[in-house]
Amino acid sequence: MLEWELGKQKEPNAESPTVIDTTTPATAMPKSLTTGPEQGLYTDINTISDNFMAYMGELTQPYLTWPTTTTTRTTTPTSEASYAFISSEGLNHEYSLPSPCTTIEEHRDPASVSPLTLCGTAEISDLMLADLDDVYFDRVQNICPMVHQRRYFAWAGQKDSSSARECLRSAMHTLVAAMSAPYRGVVNILYNNTCRLLEEFKQAGNKERSWSTSQELVSIEYIQAWLLLAHYESLRVNECKAMLTAGYAFRLIQMARLHEIDAPEKTVAHVTFNSEPNDDWAATEERRRTFWVAYNLDCFLSWRSEWPLTLYEDMVSTHLPAPEANFQNSQPVSTDSLPEALTKDASTTLSPFAECVVLATLHSRCMAHRRASSKERAKEPRGFWGRYEWLAAAIERRIKLLVQTPATTTIERDPMLFFTHMLAYSAIICLGGTVQRMPWQAAEYQLMAPAYEQRISWATAEIVRLVKRLPSLSYFKAHPFLPNLLSSAITFLSTQCSIDYDQGGVEVLLCLLKNLRDVNSLALKICSTYDGAQSSFLL
């Protein structure tokens, strides 16, 4: 049986059996065993040993040489085929775009290979793919709520899915693996596979001109895949890499004109479904949500390094996203535009996703206010205080609505709602910090400074309270940019606060950062910036 297996594994052009490595001298046969019945027994043992070593060498050879293969794949694989037999060398090749790998057919048929050949490779089964889909809607959908679950499962797993949908599903699985302990061992393999699929789709589009500036020719699934990949890179790689990936997605969004879905006298093309009368609305709402996920990502990526925005709010005429229940159940509902939500005195809060959009906009305006103020140091401060008062009133209005709504009782179960509350208090810290930076000369403004410091202290205390309220916060469900908000509160508490506050507040926030750094590269980077007593706490 073993000799027959060796015959199967032998190369077609081989003329002789595999030779034993000559670097190890062969053991000489004792003279006492060169004759008699012992001779046959000794020869059989040596033959079995030699054949086994050759057999193992044949099995491991394809794995050892796989990463250097340069054959180009000619067809876009299905979700199952695209994951099968991908070398685990990808674990050491995390941040660069992988070269196209060879097709499965150029190697052994999986059904005919010994299980030993699976050592060091990744084979994703249908059951695992189904589990990744379920985990996505349990965890990722809470922070990137743009995929319609029923419509997704209608095509997921089909062999004839479009290339754009295969890109989306692979990106979904990649982000899920980064937010799930059982799949962290294959996350880099999934990431490399997603990069390859997106690059192949991009190259095919460049050759065939499969899209143009017309919005109906830019696949929504393709845009969503790039956005999910950017979120993954913000979690596992770094902000610079995520910014480059997100930039490509932002340009696709502009080409698809997702920023003006609800513009007057504009007809926006979308996918039409005949199964349900409200599916047209669900398809349009999915496009709205895709835009707002990108809009938030643009805001979040720009804050820490103060990069300029790509998707400016003044060019947006797309209405705010509908509540999640309406979206998933395809129940049409009208929503306000962003300017309406910012200006009118509403009596009820928005959905957590829409509220997050509004507060992200206000936070970005606070950052713009800081930049404008740095140019007005020698000028009359009336413009400064006019902007400040408007922003402070708008943030206060959003906080009152968040606190009064019964939805706050679900903050423990809704990561988006938790992040939205943190975002509101972080905006106060940003706005108050701008006041502290200004070199006021007039005595009236110097007397106002303690009041603003008191306001910042209250906001940081609320952040600490929220973190204490969630001792069992799932670190995998935490928003990818939560560390930025924690950092702003820690900076104020440890360096700028001159009045009484919760002495354990810094430790509480640092403890959460410490726990997040194993799953969030941004938290790891922020933790490394603290030294002295704070860094000793992290050790």
Side-chain angles (χ1 to χ4, degrees), residues 83 124 127-137 172-173 176-177 180 183 190:
Y83 294 137
I124 309 297
L127 187 61
M128 295 172 68
L129 291 174
D131 185 56
L132 287 169
D133 288 336
D134 291 339
V135 176
Y136 177 89
F137 288 100
M172 292 168 62
H173 295 165
V176 167
S180 177
Y183 295 104
L190 295 173

Side-chain angles (χ1 to χ4, degrees), residues 439-450:
W440 304 115
Q441 302 298 330
E444 57 179 314
Y445 297 126
Q446 294 178 359
L447 293 175
M448 295 170 62

Side-chain angles (χ1 to χ4, degrees), residues 103-396:
T103 57
I104 300 173
E105 290 76 8
E106 296 177 67
H107 296 280
R108 296 185 180 88
D109 181 3
S112 63
V113 178
S114 168
L116 292 174
T117 62
L118 300 181
C119 181
T121 63
E123 180 176 329
I124 309 297
S125 65
D126 291 341
L127 187 61
M128 295 172 68
L129 291 174
D131 185 56
L132 287 169
D133 288 336
D134 291 339
V135 176
Y136 177 89
F137 288 100
D138 178 60
R139 295 184 180 179
V140 181
Q141 182 72 7
N142 292 325
I143 59 176
C144 297
M146 60 180 174
V147 178
H148 192 276
Q149 186 171 359
R150 179 174 55 81
R151 292 178 56 214
Y152 169 77
F153 281 114
W155 58 260
Q158 293 181 357
K159 301 299 182 181
D160 56 347
S161 295
S162 65
S163 298
R165 287 177 171 177
E166 289 299 328
C167 291
L168 172 58
R169 196 182 192 202
S170 180
M172 292 168 62
H173 295 165
T174 300
L175 188 52
V176 167
M179 301 175 66
S180 177
Y183 295 104
R184 295 190 73 187
V186 296
V187 65
N188 294 327
I189 297 175
L190 295 173
Y191 171 61
N192 288 343
N193 184 70
T194 301
C195 291
R196 178 182 56 78
L197 290 175
L198 288 170
E199 186 64 22
E200 288 178 356
F201 189 85
K202 183 196 298 185
Q203 295 301 327
N206 293 338
K207 292 179 180 179
E208 302 173 7
R209 312 300 299 174
S210 60
W211 66 67
S212 67
T213 56
S214 179
Q215 64 264 31
E216 64 268 18
L217 296 181
V218 182
S219 172
I220 189 66
E221 291 88 358
Y222 185 57
I223 298 174
Q224 291 171 337
W226 280 103
L227 290 174
L228 292 177
L229 185 65
H231 277 86
Y232 166 82
E233 290 173 343
S234 68
L235 272 175
R236 289 294 301 266
V237 189
N238 55 65
E239 283 185 299
C240 293
K241 179 69 173 177
M243 189 68 171
L244 294 174
T245 300
Y248 187 78
F250 297 158
R251 294 308 181 189
L252 289 176
I253 284 173
Q254 292 172 339
M255 290 171 58
R257 311 200 72 82
L258 298 186
H259 59 283
E260 54 185 26
I261 292 177
D262 299 297
E265 300 180 357
K266 272 193 174 290
T267 301
V268 179
H270 52 73
V271 182
T272 300
F273 295 88
N274 298 322
S275 58
E276 294 289 343
N278 293 327
D279 272 344
D280 285 353
W281 177 85
T284 303
E285 176 64 17
E286 187 168 13
R287 295 170 68 86
R288 289 193 189 98
R289 286 170 165 259
T290 300
F291 170 77
W292 289 119
V293 167
Y295 178 89
N296 280 354
L297 179 62
D298 191 21
C299 293
F300 301 153
L301 284 173
S302 65
W303 287 347
R304 184 170 178 82
S305 301
E306 298 193 15
W307 289 323
L309 296 173
T310 302
L311 304 174
Y312 291 98
E313 61 170 289
D314 56 0
M315 73 176 190
V316 177
S317 57
T318 297
H319 286 180
L320 292 173
E324 182 72 13
N326 293 81
F327 173 53
Q328 295 297 343
N329 296 321
S330 300
Q331 298 174 346
V333 61
S334 60
T335 56
D336 293 332
S337 64
L338 180 59
E340 291 173 343
L342 287 170
T343 56
K344 76 176 185 179
D345 188 11
S347 58
T348 57
T349 186
L350 303 172
S351 66
F353 185 24
E355 196 70 54
C356 184
V357 171
V358 173
L359 285 167
T361 303
L362 290 174
H363 198 294
S364 294
R365 287 192 180 186
C366 292
M367 299 290 293
H369 172 59
R370 175 184 297 179
R371 290 190 294 269
S373 302
S374 63
K375 303 176 183 179
E376 300 174 346
R377 289 177 178 269
K379 299 180 181 180
E380 177 64 31
R382 292 179 181 176
F384 173 91
W385 291 111
R387 293 192 304 269
Y388 177 89
E389 293 297 337
W390 188 94
L391 288 170
I395 296 172
E396 287 287 344

